[in-house]
Amino acid sequence: MQKVEVLIVEDDLRIIDINRRFVSKIEGFDVIATATNGAEAKELLSFMQPHLVLLDVYLPDMLGTDLVWHVRQHHRSVDIMMITAAKEIEMVQEALRGGVYDYIVKPLVFERFRERLESYRQHLWRTKEVGEVDQEVIDRILTRNLQAGKTRESAMPKGIDLLTLEKVIQAIRRTGEKGVSAEEIGKVIGTSRTTARRYLEYLVLEKKARADLLYGTVGRPERKYRYLS
């Protein structure tokens, strides 16, 4: 899977090093550049397109919230996560109005940071890979309620991953009434037939899909799955 590319914008070199080391410990992320002020960040953004900017509020030449609006105007596909000591409600509100994905107050705690980045990674690939979403997914995107996501994930049986499950749902939906086999789903989402079947049977158990046995002229009957909308 493609890595999430990260730009760190922070004037304290020590904090840049900490953030870089924290990011390196989280699977699926790669720091591609760092900037120590707003002008440098703007220049970097003019020729690179990171998925995520980790941004401080207090920069030497501008407020990070001003950079947020620059990104929104010129680089709309770039997401932003504030990591800052700024606790003023006005700063938080301005950042949220600018559409930041998250706002984390220093000092940075690794476990909390890891949870937020992993939440963002799921959000990023989920929104990139699905062409259509249901209300539940939209609610998660709009609220970004980490605890709700963790609660649902903890309710999942062992071996069922939410992101993979949503890929399976999208794949089976596209087949309509024709139905699809576990082997076919596996090829679409890039997993083994066994893994695909585990997810499909989970959907059947949850009454979100049905399975029918189709008998051909030779060989064993084939199990076809259809999504129940």
Side-chain angles (χ1 to χ4, degrees):
M1 181 180 289
Q2 180 187 358
K3 287 197 173 186
V4 178
E5 296 182 341
V6 178
L7 167 63
I8 298 174
V9 183
E10 163 70 57
D11 67 320
D12 188 326
L13 295 178
R14 182 179 59 88
I15 300 298
I16 285 180
D17 184 57
I18 291 172
N19 289 351
R20 186 199 293 272
R21 286 191 286 111
F22 275 10
V23 171
S24 70
K25 292 180 180 180
I26 304 171
E27 184 180 357
F29 288 83
D30 183 29
V31 175
I32 60 171
T34 63
T36 56
N37 57 62
E40 189 178 352
K42 287 181 179 180
E43 183 179 358
L44 288 170
L45 286 166
S46 70
F47 62 84
M48 65 172 53
Q49 196 80 356
H51 298 103
L52 180 66
V53 176
L54 301 183
L55 176 61
D56 190 13
V57 165
Y58 298 118
L59 300 174
D61 55 347
M62 68 172 63
L63 287 173
T65 47
D66 293 333
L67 185 61
V68 167
W69 289 107
H70 171 83
V71 171
R72 283 293 150 262
Q73 183 176 2
H74 300 284
H75 312 284
R76 293 188 180 184
S77 64
V78 176
D79 291 314
I80 300 169
M81 188 177 293
M82 308 297 293
I83 302 178
T84 177
K87 299 180 183 179
E88 299 87 350
I89 187 60
E90 295 81 10
M91 288 293 187
V92 177
Q93 288 175 329
E94 185 70 0
L96 294 176
R97 290 187 189 107
V100 300
Y101 180 81
D102 214 331
Y103 194 107
I104 303 175
V105 177
K106 297 176 182 176
L108 194 58
V109 178
F110 176 70
E111 280 305 310
R112 182 184 300 164
F113 181 65
R114 179 182 59 79
E115 287 177 354
R116 303 295 175 87
L117 258 66
E118 288 181 346
S119 170
Y120 170 74
R121 183 184 61 205
Q122 288 196 2
H123 160 81
L124 176 67
W125 299 135
R126 180 185 297 124
T127 53
K128 279 185 177 292
E129 292 176 2
V130 299
E132 184 178 291
V133 292
D134 57 23
Q135 187 63 56
E136 185 179 0
V137 176
I138 293 170
D139 289 344
R140 286 206 309 274
I141 292 171
L142 291 177
T143 62
R144 302 192 180 112
N145 189 324
L146 181 64
Q147 190 59 45
K150 288 170 65 180
T151 299
R152 185 185 172 203
E153 197 160 320
S154 64
M156 292 289 104
K158 185 176 180 181
I160 300 295
D161 169 73
L162 280 175
L163 188 58
T164 305
L165 182 62
E166 285 176 10
K167 289 182 183 178
V168 172
I169 289 173
Q170 292 301 319
I172 190 174
R173 272 178 168 170
R174 287 194 292 267
T175 65
E177 280 301 308
K178 180 177 64 173
V180 65
S181 69
E183 184 175 358
E184 290 167 333
I185 288 289
K187 289 178 181 178
V188 171
I189 68 170
T191 66
S192 68
R193 173 182 172 276
T194 302
T195 298
R197 180 161 185 167
R198 180 168 69 246
Y199 282 86
L200 290 165
E201 290 296 335
Y202 173 75
L203 290 174
V204 172
L205 184 65
E206 291 293 302
K207 302 189 185 311
K208 292 184 177 180
R210 80 170 190 264
D212 300 315
L213 285 177
L214 298 183
Y215 292 86
T217 54
V218 293
R220 297 172 59 185
E222 186 176 32
R223 199 165 170 85
K224 289 277 191 176
Y225 298 85
R226 294 171 177 80
Y227 193 76
L228 300 175
S229 56

